[in-house]
Amino acid sequence: MMLSEFFELIQFLFVVTFTTFLFNCVEYDILFANRAVNHTGPGQNPLDRNKVTLPDALLPSQQCTENIQENSWIIFLLIMAAIFWLYRLVKVFCNILSYWEIRQFYIKALKIRMDELCNFTWQEVQDRLISLQREQQMCIHKKELTELDIYHRILRFKNYMVAMVNKSLLPVHLQLPLLGDIVFLTQGLKYNFELILFWGPGSLFQNKWNLHPKYKRAGNRLELAQQLSRVILLMGLANLLLCPFILVWQVLYAFFSYTEVIRREPGSLGARRWSLYGRLYLRHFNELNHELHGRLGRGYKPTSKYMNSFTAPLMSVLAKNVAFFSGSVLAVLIALTVYDEDVLTVQHILTAITVLGVVITVTRSFIPDEHMVWCPEQLLQCVLAHIHYMPDHWRGQANKGETRDEVAQLFQYKAVFILEELLSPIVTPFVLIFLLRNKSLEIIDFFRNFTVEVVGVGDICSFAQMDIRRHGNPMWMSEGRTEASVYQQAENGKTELSLMHFTIKNPRWQPPQDASMFISHLKEKVQQDAQGGPSTRLLLSNESGSGPDNLLASVLAHPVLTASGLPGRDRGFLPPSTAASAAASVLASLSASQLHPQPGRSHSLNPLPSSLHPDSPLYGSDRTVMDSMSNSDARYRSSTMLSEFSSAEMSLHAIYMHEVHQQSSAPQRTSGQGQHPVPMRELHTNPGAPHSHSLHSAADLAGPTTLGGWQEEEEEEDQGEEEAIVSGSAPQPDGRSSC
């Protein structure tokens, strides 16, 4: 982390220096051979007298300095860059001191040496931290820390962001002519949101752990909304003023970062990545960065397959012909260069070869594989198993272009990501001034209504408590257990799914009474549905084993392969069943008694059925290997296996809960009584947890801005948070068939 921040400073210094050098110290007429150069030195070969060398194109240092001094704009930009670099240098120095404290805490308090840290899982670090609290009472306001307390401290601001995206409070949906509804959320825009709301001047939080008391009172909400509106206006104007400088930096950073990659691998622009909006929309409450990264990483391949199943016949025909003509010309040029390398000296011949290669690579990405058979519904079910969230209107519409466009908002092209980041300095000021300002009152009401104070933690988002009674949705198995109004309910089952995810990832955590009742009710329903579903042995008969991937694959394949009574591998006809009953059957075998262990029970992420127990023959080869490994390696392998089973179990729960939700909400959708998100408004009451004092950790660091332009992965931006907190379908062409 320290090395990364150091090289960010070096990178910024290099980009500024190198760009200044290119604009003021290079004589391009000589470099491009527009002006002849005559080398007449003694012993000079006559054939080389007119040959241009690199030093010939470089101006003398004195002339280079004069060019810089004569350009007032260059001087101004260099001064601005120097001020920003010095500011970042001070921030990096402060962060390095904090990182050193974190390092010492790991070594001295948690008894984890730096050379062993990579072999420890997060659960092991968390257990040591909880044990340390019992011994040394680091948090003076409570005797014991829970897993949820630790997550709340790490993800305090992140949970607010997830909740605001879930309740459609942040203005990230833009209605544009011709383009329609698009989602626009970039690193720069997200940075401004966090600056305004959490840690910037005039933000709603008075420090890193407490909301300002005036925002907790309803009496002056209109005045506070006007004050917030002014802060947003000033921030928007500041972005508008700095727009030219930020835009220049974005263009330079993109040029230095991606030009070589595009030349070497043009197809990389057609690769996809999870968008920043997708990471917030799909994130559970209380989900750490490494947990989110692993879950979305497992969902990358199925989502890519689903997106690739959509092809445009017209575009495919055009792409084939463009690739043919470009390839023909490129073949001739390559043949000529092989015959005589002097062809390379012809002006722009290398440029033509490069451009033709890029065109061929790009067009081939639009040509589908004619031998592939796609099943959009099954592919979308595979996607759901990993991303855990799917709007109701996607159901049965997997082959529609509208569904594909909405998935593309979560899973964007890398080229779209680069374009959005380049446009961010221009669009961000207008989003702040014309869209975010109009939501000032709703933002004030949101933070007042959905902020609670937790002993030893401080102010947190109430949604992060995963309180079924306060924020549950009756359409997501919370009927009769929630008192939440439509305004208080989390959308898309966020509360229920987040509770299940946190319970599975933290099996020692003891949930509150309402959460325990919800989990018990879910267990009972799983057992009931499992009785009417196929047996686990029958489901796994088509798989080579009972590993986590095979358990999930058996459920994902079952509805398609056996719903009509098709014969299985054992030549017997399987009875028709639903995905819910199939998932329930496997879940019932995974959880024989409880979803999480009682106090005193050995620590494991998930209880395994007898057929999957490490003592069974299925694990014979693994046990043989583990017996020959060191204790630390065996512990790490065991933790990894349990983690894989916990991920598979959560995927099964996501499928099951979505199926049950679809069955329960079908009558309401038929009668037109489906629920829709409502805008943020004021609550007359402010239910919350009892207020008490909070504890501040000196290591709760606000995420600084980075010098490397934008970052492609959000988890890189927040890589120090966890360490810091413990220191304190369309028709298919060309014969392609669709299920």
Side-chain angles (χ1 to χ4, degrees):
M1 290 158 51
M2 295 167 56
L3 192 64
S4 176
E5 294 206 8
F6 171 76
F7 275 108
E8 284 180 1
L9 290 172
I10 300 300
Q11 187 181 75
F12 182 83
L13 197 63
F14 170 79
V15 171
V16 173
T17 304
F18 190 46
T19 304
T20 304
F21 170 81
L22 292 177
F23 275 97
N24 297 275
C25 302
V26 178
E27 194 165 1
Y28 290 96
D29 284 339
I30 294 179
L31 185 65
F32 296 151
N34 295 329
R35 191 169 61 190
V37 176
N38 188 13
H39 299 279
T40 57
Q44 184 73 33
N45 189 340
L47 297 178
D48 294 336
R49 288 181 178 178
N50 295 328
K51 190 174 183 179
V52 177
T53 61
L54 190 59
D56 295 333
L58 301 182
L59 296 175
S61 58
Q62 182 177 0
Q63 185 177 353
C64 179
T65 304
E66 292 177 356
N67 290 342
I68 296 175
Q69 293 176 348
E70 293 174 357
N71 195 327
S72 57
W73 272 106
I74 293 294
I75 297 295
F76 175 74
L77 292 176
L78 290 177
I79 293 175
M80 294 285 292
I83 294 174
F84 180 75
W85 190 84
L86 291 175
Y87 163 75
R88 285 294 298 133
L89 180 63
V90 174
K91 292 287 291 184
V92 168
F93 180 75
C94 295
N95 289 342
I96 288 176
L97 296 179
S98 298
Y99 295 156
W100 182 258
E101 292 180 0
I102 296 169
R103 185 178 188 273
Q104 296 303 308
F105 182 84
Y106 268 85
I107 296 174
K108 297 180 179 179
L110 299 182
K111 308 300 181 182
I112 300 176
R113 301 199 311 266
M114 290 298 101
D115 57 341
E116 294 182 349
L117 182 58
C118 60
N119 295 325
F120 279 79
T121 64
W122 164 249
Q123 280 72 24
E124 292 174 314
V125 175
Q126 188 171 244
D127 289 343
R128 294 200 178 196
L129 180 62
I130 294 175
S131 300
L132 184 64
Q133 166 66 17
R134 300 191 187 104
E135 298 172 0
Q136 300 186 11
Q137 204 69 18
M138 296 179 300
C139 177
I140 62 176
H141 295 289
K142 59 193 313 181
K143 184 177 180 179
E144 290 190 2
L145 285 176
T146 66
E147 291 86 348
L148 191 58
D149 292 335
I150 299 173
Y151 276 68
H152 280 165
R153 291 169 67 88
I154 299 175
L155 301 170
R156 188 191 316 275
F157 296 154
K158 191 69 67 177
N159 282 327
Y160 274 108
M161 292 291 290
V162 172
M164 286 189 286
V165 169
N166 180 257
K167 298 298 291 183
S168 302
L169 182 58
L170 295 179
V172 296
H173 288 268
L174 306 180
Q175 291 290 339
L176 299 180
L178 302 178
L179 298 179
D181 178 52
I182 67 169
V183 172
F184 187 87
L185 182 61
T186 61
Q187 294 287 0
L189 185 57
K190 174 177 171 288
Y191 175 81
N192 277 274
F193 286 159
E194 295 176 344
L195 187 67
I196 293 171
L197 299 175
F198 302 125
W199 52 269
S203 65
L204 279 64
F205 277 74
Q206 62 179 0
N207 46 46
K208 297 183 180 72
W209 69 96
N210 270 341
L211 186 69
H212 199 285
K214 63 182 179 180
Y215 292 104
K216 301 179 181 179
R217 299 188 293 266
N220 56 347
R221 55 190 289 268
L222 296 177
E223 178 183 349
L224 293 175
Q226 293 177 356
Q227 178 181 338
L228 179 60
S229 179
R230 288 194 294 269
V231 172
I232 296 174
L233 177 61
L234 292 176
M235 196 64 63
L237 294 176
N239 276 269
L240 192 61
L241 182 64
L242 296 175
C243 174
F245 311 108
I246 302 176
L247 182 61
V248 170
W249 167 255
Q250 296 283 62
V251 172
L252 290 175
Y253 180 79
F255 175 78
F256 289 132
S257 299
Y258 296 108
T259 301
E260 188 274 335
V261 176
I262 294 173
R263 179 187 178 278
R264 173 173 45 87
E265 192 178 354
S268 62
L269 293 178
R272 289 187 177 270
R273 63 184 301 278
W274 294 103
S275 66
L276 186 57
Y277 169 76
R279 293 179 180 275
L280 290 175
Y281 178 85
L282 299 175
R283 189 169 193 158
H284 294 296
F285 294 123
N286 303 308
E287 185 174 20
L288 295 173
N289 291 326
H290 73 272
E291 296 171 345
L292 175 68
H293 178 70
R295 179 164 63 88
L296 295 184
R298 285 186 288 270
Y300 184 89
K301 286 186 177 180
T303 312
S304 297
K305 289 182 179 179
Y306 173 75
M307 297 300 293
N308 291 336
S309 66
F310 290 85
T311 58
L314 178 61
M315 183 63 69
S316 176
V317 173
L318 293 176
K320 286 182 178 180
N321 284 274
V322 172
F324 171 77
F325 295 127
S326 301
S328 301
V329 178
L330 180 61
V332 172
L333 293 179
I334 293 176
L336 291 175
T337 56
V338 171
Y339 178 76
D340 190 347
E341 62 182 10
D342 289 337
V343 175
L344 294 174
T345 62
V346 178
Q347 189 176 20
H348 300 314
I349 196 68
L350 283 176
T351 303
I353 293 176
T354 302
V355 171
L356 289 173
V358 171
V359 170
I360 294 172
T361 304
V362 172
T363 53
R364 289 192 182 279
S365 64
F366 293 97
I367 303 175
D369 186 352
E370 60 183 10
H371 302 294
M372 298 301 294
V373 179
W374 300 109
C375 301
E377 289 293 343
Q378 185 186 18
L379 288 174
L380 193 59
Q381 190 83 331
C382 294
V383 172
L384 171 64
H386 298 291
I387 68 174
H388 299 173
Y389 292 98
M390 184 177 75
D392 293 343
H393 60 270
W394 287 7
R395 188 73 173 187
Q397 306 294 323
N399 60 336
K400 301 295 183 181
E402 294 80 1
T403 303
R404 185 259 184 201
D405 293 340
E406 293 186 17
V407 177
Q409 294 176 350
L410 310 175
F411 198 59
Q412 63 183 179
Y413 283 116
K414 190 172 184 178
V416 175
F417 161 76
I418 297 174
L419 180 61
E420 287 183 350
E421 292 294 340
L422 291 176
L423 295 176
S424 180
I426 302 174
V427 179
T428 295
F430 297 98
V431 172
L432 297 178
I433 296 174
F434 297 106
L435 297 179
L436 187 62
R437 284 183 63 210
N438 297 333
K439 292 181 173 288
S440 298
L441 183 59
E442 297 177 25
I443 293 174
I444 295 297
D445 290 338
F446 176 88
F447 277 89
R448 184 183 70 257
N449 295 325
F450 300 118
T451 295
V452 295
E453 188 174 357
V454 178
V455 176
V457 177
D459 289 332
I460 64 168
C461 180
S462 62
F463 284 101
Q465 291 186 306
M466 303 173 295
D467 189 342
I468 296 296
R469 183 167 298 277
R470 183 176 179 184
H471 296 301
N473 193 320
M475 305 304 299
W476 286 85
M477 305 180 65
S478 298
E479 188 172 3
R481 294 170 179 81
T482 180
E483 301 172 352
S485 64
V486 176
Y487 173 66
Q488 294 173 299
Q489 297 169 5
E491 307 296 334
N492 299 320
K494 180 75 77 172
T495 300
E496 291 79 6
L497 288 167
S498 297
L499 175 60
M500 292 306 305
H501 180 267
F502 190 82
T503 304
I504 293 173
K505 287 294 184 180
N506 299 273
R508 288 184 181 269
W509 176 63
Q510 296 300 313
Q513 182 180 1
D514 292 334
S516 296
M517 292 178 60
F518 173 82
I519 294 173
S520 299
H521 169 69
L522 178 61
K523 285 172 47 183
E524 294 174 359
K525 187 165 181 57
V526 167
Q527 294 293 339
Q528 293 173 2
D529 290 348
Q531 295 176 0
S535 66
T536 307
R537 185 180 301 275
L538 194 59
L539 279 171
L540 296 177
S541 63
N542 290 332
E543 301 297 332
S544 58
S546 297
D549 295 337
N550 293 328
L551 290 174
L552 184 57
S554 65
V555 175
L556 293 174
H558 176 70
V560 174
L561 298 179
T562 65
S564 301
L566 298 179
R569 179 172 294 186
D570 59 353
R571 301 302 179 185
F573 280 84
L574 305 178
S577 60
T578 64
S581 60
S585 298
V586 179
L587 283 173
S589 65
L590 275 175
S591 181
S593 59
Q594 293 184 358
L595 286 172
H596 56 85
Q598 294 292 335
R601 184 175 177 177
S602 61
H603 179 66
S604 63
L605 290 175
N606 291 290
L608 301 179
S610 58
S611 62
L612 301 177
H613 196 273
D615 292 332
S616 67
L618 289 173
Y619 282 77
S621 60
D622 290 340
R623 292 184 58 82
T624 302
V625 175
M626 291 178 65
D627 290 340
S628 63
M629 297 166 64
S630 63
N631 291 333
S632 61
D633 291 339
R635 184 190 70 234
Y636 179 78
R637 185 186 180 108
S638 177
S639 299
T640 303
M641 177 64 68
L642 292 172
S643 178
E644 290 298 322
F645 271 105
S646 70
S647 299
E649 184 180 356
M650 184 59 211
S651 296
L652 293 170
H653 273 103
I655 294 174
Y656 176 78
M657 294 175 70
H658 271 270
E659 290 288 336
V660 174
H661 166 69
Q662 290 290 339
Q663 295 171 7
S664 62
S665 61
Q668 280 86 349
R669 292 200 308 270
T670 303
S671 59
Q673 297 177 355
Q675 294 183 355
H676 301 279
V678 296
M680 296 290 108
R681 57 176 175 82
E682 179 190 11
L683 283 181
H684 296 291
T685 60
N686 185 16
H691 291 258
S692 59
H693 297 288
S694 62
L695 175 67
H696 168 53
S697 170
D700 285 336
L701 303 176
T705 56
T706 58
L707 297 178
W710 60 82
Q711 294 177 330
E712 293 190 23
E713 299 294 342
E714 183 188 7
E715 58 270 11
E716 294 176 4
E717 172 187 315
D718 303 323
Q719 61 181 342
E721 289 183 350
E722 297 172 20
E723 291 85 349
I725 206 68
V726 298
S727 67
S729 168
Q732 306 297 329
D734 302 326
R736 298 172 72 245
S737 59
S738 175
C739 292

